Amino acid sequence: MKINGTPTRTIWLAKDGWAVEIIDQTRLPHEFVTARLESLADAAHAIKAMLVRGAPLIGATAAYGMALAARANGSDLALALSYQLLLGTRPTAINLKWALDEMMRALALVPEDQRASAAYQRAAEIADEDVEINSAIGDNGHKLLAEIWAERQAKGTPGRLNVLTHCNAGWLATVDWGTAIAPIYKAFDAGIPVHVWVDETRPRNQGASLTARELNWHGVPHTVIADNSGGHLMQHGMVDCCIVGTDRVASNGDVCNKIGTYLKALAAKDNGVPFFVALPSPTIDWTVADGVKDIPIEERDVSEQTHMTGKTEDGAIVTVQVTPDGSAAGNWGFDVTPARLVTGLITERGVCPATPEGLKSLFPERG
Amino acid sequence: MKINGTPTRTIWLAKDGWAVEIIDQTRLPHEFVTARLESLADAAHAIKAMLVRGAPLIGATAAYGMALAARANGSDLALALSYQLLLGTRPTAINLKWALDEMMRALALVPEDQRASAAYQRAAEIADEDVEINSAIGDNGHKLLAEIWAERQAKGTPGRLNVLTHCNAGWLATVDWGTAIAPIYKAFDAGIPVHVWVDETRPRNQGASLTARELNWHGVPHTVIADNSGGHLMQHGMVDCCIVGTDRVASNGDVCNKIGTYLKALAAKDNGVPFFVALPSPTIDWTVADGVKDIPIEERDVSEQTHMTGKTEDGAIVTVQVTPDGSAAGNWGFDVTPARLVTGLITERGVCPATPEGLKSLFPERG
């Protein structure tokens, strides 16, 4: 998408043709800084320390990480070790494993001295495919938003179309377009007066930092709210639909996403608000049949909960402690929303119910 | 309750016998500072700027505010104006109006020159009554916790008793003991190994700042979590019950409390976790029959959402902006949990279902 009119992706090859450049998302929203990845270690750090985040972008970064690794050493052993190292950076996002498996498949039968170029080629394809997939998700989700908007207009009091989202599943979470936000960009560009309720998304504030930042860049009206607010807004008719992204969808339709998603889905169900989940098909984990029970939930460093970073009046970026000295803290990164609370899954192939049958109808080759 | 062994209330008369002293709760958790209220304006400011907060403490402060006003001018007109000024400081907490009405009742027939002393006397009574009421709530809630604990023990894997709470309904929200936390203090003091999940409670962080602070002072084990976490914890059997306070209960049992309470109640219902609301009877608004529809919800300054205050590594207290420049923010202070999601109301007279009949059974004089 565009930043001040300049088309920008979240990951790209440096001018030298081999290093990889990314937006350092830990510096957003107050600073725009890029980082240069020159090694496997750089790529692993970028994922683990969340310079990049969002399941699709993690996958693309891991793919380029394998390319950087292959450039340094194309041996079977080096690739296997690189695979393991990258796989261990984040435990929940299934796209990470998908991208790494894709890279291994692309490299396995290639002679050692040609692996680096093959790896760069496949990584670039993975990135381009992500953009295409997300654009298609945007088109499919846009149709849903257009229908909901038409319903509002038919009622005679259109106002604006209020969409609530949690965390960041915008273009900053992918290579471009985003997943949950792609339909919003498409609807906005098509002239639907969309307004986005942006959940702050504690503890890491990806909503306030990233979703607000990118909607701002693109000019989409939005309001940052506490994660606590969605229930009240839905209870009072102020939300027309919810769209969130996901880090892993089980084959039964259960949706793993940023911690707190489950609470919003409960509120949506309780108030008859449609709750959609947007995802590229690599996010589906066909091996997990019960998402609530079997998707592992990452526990992250509690400093994300005890501390918060922001900008002072002087423009300095400062981290402050918000809990009392001596109080323990917990930090679960994700939760799982049972499929029964999900109105529909928006994929690059279309929209389906969050059920085994729904998923199989769109992906019969997995049936 | 005790701070470093010293019994402390949240509001008390200064040594001079007329000024009122409070803990400036905006300085917690990192600093302990008291403030001196010498006038009606001081009291109104203390409530509006949330130096004091929590429905019962707001009521007690308003009562002392009337005493300070009567000391300066005991005329009918002055009292009427003071009543209006204090009533306008916070729109949601019903205790504020209750306490002000009590003061007017106590002063109406008293000669003008005796109103100041009558006002101080009634304000002191209101404060003392709050302490007694909360202690009784604690005893009644302690029985419930003891039952849940006995069930855990009967299952053979007792571990600890996990109670989740939202916002601060501890002694800092009242004159002493607290409402939701009173049962926890009583259970802890009686030897039940209770552990409290403390919702951070954005946007003002009363959980992280106040509940964690007072549990810490008293030595009760606790863990501060993002407001987003409760659903995941309940889904995985890590919460035995929820107890929250309330700012207003409608006569149908609907519960108005800090924004986000409704989301936790939904999660509790979805996972079979008991969800209790602790309240002193002045919190019941017998005039409101439909809480979801008719309880007014305060919208507060959006800077509470866009900014956050904490302690730097150097110990300085600093406020930082956490949203991008140019992004709008919203800040609703409360939401209303429908009575159908509430397992029971814990009052000073006992525990009852959150229904009109339940409330009438405990308060037949209102029937």
Side-chain angles (χ1 to χ4, degrees), chain A residues 331-343:
Chain A
N331 182 9
W332 289 267
F334 304 87
D335 62 21
V336 179
T337 299
R340 64 186 149 84
L341 303 177
V342 177
T343 309

Side-chain angles (χ1 to χ4, degrees), chain A residues 130-265:
Chain A
D130 182 62
V131 178
E132 280 169 38
I133 284 173
N134 297 330
S135 179
I137 290 170
D139 292 332
N140 293 329
H142 173 201
K143 280 179 212 153
L144 291 174
L145 292 182
E147 285 167 20
I148 296 170
W149 176 237
E151 280 171 34
R152 271 198 80 125
Q153 284 182 303
K155 283 180 195 156
T157 50
R160 57 187 188 179
L161 182 75
N162 289 298
V163 182
L164 185 144
T165 192
H166 190 68
C167 199
N168 177 258
W171 73 269
L172 288 170
T174 63
V175 179
D176 205 352
W177 279 111
T179 55
I181 310 296
I184 292 169
Y185 286 128
K186 299 260 182 181
F188 176 78
D189 289 345
I192 295 177
V194 64
H195 165 264
V196 186
W197 296 112
V198 177
D199 275 359
E200 173 182 39
T201 319
R202 283 283 286 154
R204 279 188 73 92
N205 284 34
Q206 294 95 331
S209 301
L210 306 178
T211 303
R213 177 67 279 178
E214 61 168 274
L215 291 173
N216 214 328
W217 274 328
H218 199 80
V220 181
H222 62 283
T223 304
V224 178
I225 54 175
D227 301 306
N228 286 322
S229 311
H232 172 68
L233 297 178
M234 292 189 226
Q235 213 175 33
H236 290 272
M238 295 159 81
V239 181
D240 293 298
C241 77
C242 304
I243 310 182
V244 300
T246 169
D247 295 79
R248 194 185 304 202
V249 172
S251 64
N252 69 341
D254 286 353
V255 169
C256 180
N257 190 43
K258 182 59 50 189
I259 190 86
T261 302
Y262 169 42
L263 295 170
K264 295 308 150 57

Side-chain angles (χ1 to χ4, degrees), chain A residues 23-365:
Chain A
I23 300 169
D24 179 354
Q25 300 195 20
T26 63
R27 307 290 285 274
L28 295 173
H30 304 298
E31 300 170 294
F32 182 83
V33 175
T34 60
R36 181 175 159 93
L37 313 181
E38 301 190 344
S39 66
L40 169 68
D42 287 350
H45 171 74
I47 298 171
K48 198 169 178 65
M50 294 179 70
L51 278 67
V52 293
R53 18 68 53 207
L57 178 54
I58 287 170
T61 308
Y64 274 114
M66 288 295 284
L68 290 166
R71 182 173 184 270
N73 184 336
S75 72
D76 285 355
L77 181 62
L79 288 185
L81 290 173
S82 306
Y83 177 101
Q84 286 305 326
L85 186 139
L86 287 164
L87 189 64
T89 49
R90 297 287 302 276
T92 300
I94 188 67
N95 304 53
L96 174 59
K97 184 168 188 305
W98 173 86
L100 290 170
D101 287 341
E102 278 298 303
M103 294 301 290
M104 290 304 264
R105 208 175 351 255
L107 302 184
L109 302 179
V110 173
E112 200 171 311
D113 63 350
Q114 296 169 34
R115 277 179 172 165
S117 65
Y120 274 97
Q121 190 188 325
R122 185 67 193 118
E125 286 168 7
I126 285 175
D128 287 342
E129 285 163 16
D130 182 62
V131 178
E132 280 169 38
I133 284 173
N134 297 330
S135 179
I137 290 170
D139 292 332
N140 293 329
H142 173 201
K143 280 179 212 153
L144 291 174
L145 292 182
E147 285 167 20
I148 296 170
W149 176 237
E151 280 171 34
R152 271 198 80 125
Q153 284 182 303
K155 283 180 195 156
T157 50
R160 57 187 188 179
L161 182 75
N162 289 298
V163 182
L164 185 144
T165 192
H166 190 68
C167 199
N168 177 258
W171 73 269
L172 288 170
T174 63
V175 179
D176 205 352
W177 279 111
T179 55
I181 310 296
I184 292 169
Y185 286 128
K186 299 260 182 181
F188 176 78
D189 289 345
I192 295 177
V194 64
H195 165 264
V196 186
W197 296 112
V198 177
D199 275 359
E200 173 182 39
T201 319
R202 283 283 286 154
R204 279 188 73 92
N205 284 34
Q206 294 95 331
S209 301
L210 306 178
T211 303
R213 177 67 279 178
E214 61 168 274
L215 291 173
N216 214 328
W217 274 328
H218 199 80
V220 181
H222 62 283
T223 304
V224 178
I225 54 175
D227 301 306
N228 286 322
S229 311
H232 172 68
L233 297 178
M234 292 189 226
Q235 213 175 33
H236 290 272
M238 295 159 81
V239 181
D240 293 298
C241 77
C242 304
I243 310 182
V244 300
T246 169
D247 295 79
R248 194 185 304 202
V249 172
S251 64
N252 69 341
D254 286 353
V255 169
C256 180
N257 190 43
K258 182 59 50 189
I259 190 86
T261 302
Y262 169 42
L263 295 170
K264 295 308 150 57
L266 285 166
K269 187 77 167 182
D270 202 45
N271 293 287
V273 173
F275 189 90
F276 296 108
V277 179
L279 61 136
S281 55
T283 308
I284 305 166
D285 187 346
W286 299 95
T287 71
V288 171
D290 183 335
V292 173
K293 199 162 139 257
D294 292 330
I295 295 177
I297 300 299
E298 177 180 4
E299 286 190 53
R300 296 185 54 82
D301 195 287
V302 298
S303 66
E304 295 180 352
Q305 180 58 43
T306 56
H307 289 68
M308 207 141 166
T309 299
K311 185 174 72 166
T312 66
E313 278 199 348
D314 308 337
I317 305 300
V318 172
T319 297
V320 295
Q321 176 185 328
V322 295
T323 49
D325 292 337
S327 284
N331 182 9
W332 289 267
F334 304 87
D335 62 21
V336 179
T337 299
R340 64 186 149 84
L341 303 177
V342 177
T343 309
L345 301 172
I346 307 172
T347 79
E348 69 272 24
R349 293 200 191 167
V351 181
C352 72
T355 60
E357 300 70 32
L359 281 167
K360 278 179 199 160
S361 72
L362 288 185
F363 301 94
E365 71 274 23

